[in-house]
């Protein structure tokens, strides 16, 4: 079963390698989708994968890379699109 989630990560998460960290974490958990910076300073992650893969990614997103300070991870259940074959960094 494939599920999808949209995560919004708040805190000091831009300019600290967060998107690259998220991409590596998604690969580790075999999750597809994308990560991108938002104009308001948050990071958005769209993730599709198994429930256990999504849960593992969520835990990693809450930790973030060494220089990040993650204050909040918002999670929204969304419908999987199936359009992603990898996990992309969008600009």
């Amino acid at each position: 079963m494939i599920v999808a989630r949209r995560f919004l990560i708040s805190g000091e998460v831009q300019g600290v390698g967060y998107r690259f960290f998220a991409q590596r974490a998604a690969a580790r958990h075999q999750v597809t989708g994308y990560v991108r910076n938002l104009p308001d300073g948050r990071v958005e992650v769209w993730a599709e994968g198994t429930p256990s893969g999504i849960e593992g990614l969520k835990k990693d997103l809450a930790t973030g890379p060494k220089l990040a300070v993650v204050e909040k991870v918002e999670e929204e259940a969304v419908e999987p699109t199936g359009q992603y074959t990898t996990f992309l960094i969008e600009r």
Side-chain angles (χ1 to χ4, degrees):
M1 178 172 77
I2 299 298
V3 297
R5 298 290 184 272
R6 179 176 178 247
F7 297 103
L8 293 173
I9 300 95
S10 305
E12 292 179 37
V13 292
Q14 289 190 12
V16 294
Y18 195 93
R19 291 177 299 163
F20 298 101
F21 171 87
Q23 186 180 47
R24 287 191 304 275
R28 214 172 25 256
H29 297 289
Q30 299 178 334
V31 170
T32 63
Y34 68 82
V35 59
R36 67 178 171 186
N37 288 340
L38 297 176
D40 64 5
R42 295 181 298 172
V43 169
E44 177 186 35
V45 172
W46 180 280
E48 298 185 10
T50 63
S52 63
I54 296 293
E55 194 58 35
L57 176 63
K58 178 182 174 182
K59 288 178 182 174
D60 286 349
L61 294 177
T63 303
K66 187 166 63 168
L67 296 176
V69 178
V70 177
E71 294 174 359
K72 184 176 179 185
V73 177
E74 299 172 63
E75 178 180 2
E76 175 187 2
V78 291
E79 284 295 317
T81 66
Q83 75 182 70
Y84 300 100
T85 58
T86 62
F87 192 87
L88 308 168
I89 295 175
E90 292 191 349
R91 304 211 181 269

